[in-house]
Amino acid sequence: MILVTGGAGFIGANFVIDWLTEGNEPVVNLDKLTYAGNLENLRPLQGDARHVFVQGDIGDRAVVDALLQQYRPRAIINFAAESHVDRSIHGPAEFIQTNVVGTFQLLEAVRAHWSQLPADEQAAFRFLHVSTDEVYGSLGAADPAFSEATPYAPNSPYSASKAASDHLVRAYHHTYGLPVLTTNCSNNYGPLQFPEKLIPLVIHNALAGRPLPIYGDGSNVRDWLYVGDHCSAIRRVLEAGRVGETYNIGGCNEKTNLEVVNALCAMLDERHPESPVMPHASLIAFVKDRPGHDRRYAIDARKIERELGWVPSETFESGIRKTVAWYLDNQDWVAHVTSGEYRNWVSRNYADHPA
Ligand code: NAD
Ligand code: DAU
């Protein structure tokens, strides 16, 4: 079986559901259930004996030691993290705690477990660390896309904490021989994404007739990847990635934020012509920029294509269409996650971003 951490969050839950759809290997899912973790995301797996959910912290040695001993997973996929850049600007401590200290504690538990396995199990074991393209910093308009050889230059407390965790993972391979793999992926979107992130936030606000806040002038660029494609890339890296290597994953879909928001609004106009706020783009509101806002991300994904034959299967247009349809069909899910803590967050964050 495999152990997934952070499997009640956006990408982790998509990964666990896809994993158990594609095959039969059981999953132990360790998640702390922070504001971003949601058992409702795992509803399709209710009653499925192949999925064991455990609420706990990756930094809790006793919990992780016990899970490793009991289940003897052949692989660990580490999704668990604090993941939102704006939250890291408001309060970096939690990011250091989970992304740096938590990953360190997890690596220590895994090292202790792995080092006493028989040689054949040691050789087959994998620790796959899920990271981000943000560790590479920010690109100018004419710069080449991030490759695996691009030097790290993180700019936010979030990306600095992810960079630190990547370095620890690398060091555990170099020093102790732990069989690690690291993936650095671009911006994901799709079902189950918490509506603090740009795409679900815009869909949610547009449906409610609220302003669509665009930081700065909306010309910052991100490289968008449908979450199902990220999950298939991780499965492929786990299956055939070379130990100790890093793989960049991206969608070849560079868009400005304004292009993304306009595409979402056009799709909502088409799906929701009876809306009182037609056209939805009339809700766009330019607000004060994010401090230290990275200008452009772009991924050079040639290594994963060349070595592992992976390419994304969704275009931006097909992925966005599926995503808008999912949010329209799952407004209960949105209503559940946008209560309580979410409302406090919105008033904290957007008070800092006046129009
Ligand atoms: P998310 O915030 O939606 O989910 C994170 C999950 O981790 C939640 O379920 C949360 O409860 C859990 N978690 C947090 N702290 C924990 C802890 N100490 N112990 C156990 N569980 C804990 O994040 P996401 O967008 O699904 O991102 C998942 C991973 O992928 C992160 O490592 C992130 O850095 C990386 N990543 C995200 C993107 C993206 O666009 N969202 C892109 C590239 C890489
Ligand atoms: O690149 C990968 C990263 O993508 C992941 O590592 C992070 O976990 C994930 O959150 C994401 O980071 P971003 O900061 O790029 O994503 P976010 O959705 O927060 O913002 C996308 C762009 O939209 C960014 O340029 C900021 C802008 N934005 C965001 C929000 C929330 C706005 O203009 N308005 C907003 O209200």
Side-chain angles (χ1 to χ4, degrees):
M1 66 156 50
I2 61 166
L3 170 63
V4 165
T5 72
F10 162 49
I11 306 172
N14 275 285
F15 179 84
V16 172
I17 292 165
D18 287 5
W19 178 268
L20 292 173
T21 306
E22 297 287 320
N24 261 323
E25 188 175 10
V27 179
V28 181
N29 185 348
L30 172 66
D31 195 297
K32 188 178 173 184
L33 295 182
T34 66
Y35 78 93
N38 180 359
L39 283 179
E40 229 180 295
N41 294 350
L42 298 163
R43 203 189 277 158
L45 301 177
Q46 237 170 22
D48 189 330
R50 299 171 304 166
H51 177 242
V52 178
F53 182 80
V54 178
Q55 182 171 6
D57 192 321
I58 55 167
D60 184 336
R61 269 303 291 273
V63 170
V64 178
D65 286 346
L67 285 181
L68 294 175
Q69 214 170 17
Q70 183 177 355
Y71 294 105
R72 294 176 72 88
R74 70 166 178 98
I76 295 170
I77 304 165
N78 184 32
F79 291 96
E82 289 294 332
S83 69
H84 191 37
V85 173
D86 292 316
R87 285 187 192 255
S88 83
I89 294 167
H90 278 261
E94 210 48 53
F95 287 71
I96 303 306
Q97 197 51 43
T98 283
N99 301 1
V100 186
V101 181
T103 304
F104 162 70
Q105 292 291 5
L106 179 64
L107 282 165
E108 275 293 272
V110 173
R111 177 167 78 90
H113 171 74
W114 173 79
S115 56
Q116 47 75 49
L117 291 175
D120 57 335
E121 285 184 43
Q122 271 195 358
F125 189 87
R126 295 288 182 270
F127 182 93
L128 192 156
H129 180 61
V130 179
S131 191
T132 170
D133 61 355
E134 299 201 11
V135 296
Y136 298 121
S138 183
L139 294 169
D143 290 338
F146 300 132
S147 81
E148 290 78 1
T150 303
Y152 274 31
N155 288 321
S156 71
Y158 163 67
S159 53
S161 68
K162 289 297 289 186
S165 68
D166 294 8
H167 290 322
L168 284 168
V169 170
R170 176 193 152 89
Y172 272 63
H173 173 64
H174 190 81
T175 303
Y176 305 114
L178 191 70
V180 307
L181 297 154
T182 298
T183 54
N184 294 90
C185 188
S186 63
N187 284 62
N188 283 216
Y189 66 97
L192 305 176
Q193 188 167 31
F194 196 79
E196 63 189 354
K197 309 281 166 60
L198 180 70
I199 287 180
L201 177 96
V202 164
I203 299 172
H204 176 55
N205 279 14
L207 290 175
R210 278 197 292 270
L212 312 180
I214 298 201
Y215 297 163
D217 64 2
S219 63
N220 298 66
V221 173
R222 298 292 182 265
D223 178 355
W224 294 95
L225 181 72
Y226 188 69
V227 63
D229 280 326
H230 189 186
C231 295
S232 74
I234 291 172
R235 289 198 301 276
R236 186 68 191 130
V237 171
L238 182 65
E239 184 179 35
R242 284 187 294 131
V243 165
E245 292 290 314
T246 67
Y247 292 91
N248 282 0
I249 304 170
C252 267
N253 277 315
E254 282 189 62
K255 306 270 177 217
T256 66
N257 294 337
L258 203 49
E259 284 170 334
V260 170
V261 174
N262 277 321
L264 290 168
C265 288
M267 210 154 283
L268 288 169
D269 291 352
E270 186 189 312
R271 293 280 313 241
H272 232 15
E274 75 289 358
S275 163
V277 286
M278 287 287 281
H280 289 90
S282 63
L283 295 170
I284 287 175
F286 292 94
V287 299
K288 188 165 168 259
D289 210 352
R290 171 188 279 175
H293 196 175
D294 284 337
R295 189 78 200 146
R296 172 178 166 238
Y297 304 146
I299 282 275
D300 175 345
R302 282 177 294 181
K303 179 177 173 184
I304 189 172
E305 179 174 4
R306 191 176 59 245
E307 288 192 11
L308 305 178
W310 177 87
V311 286
S313 58
E314 299 290 346
T315 62
F316 183 72
E317 288 66 31
S318 68
I320 281 289
R321 191 165 288 279
K322 281 188 179 178
T323 304
V324 169
W326 188 87
Y327 279 91
L328 288 175
D329 293 345
N330 289 277
Q331 293 190 42
D332 278 2
W333 180 91
V334 179
H336 295 167
V337 301
T338 50
S339 57
E341 201 309 295
Y342 176 78
R343 281 201 280 271
N344 297 336
W345 163 251
V346 168
S347 49
R348 263 199 326 273
N349 186 51
Y350 294 96
D352 283 358
H353 294 276

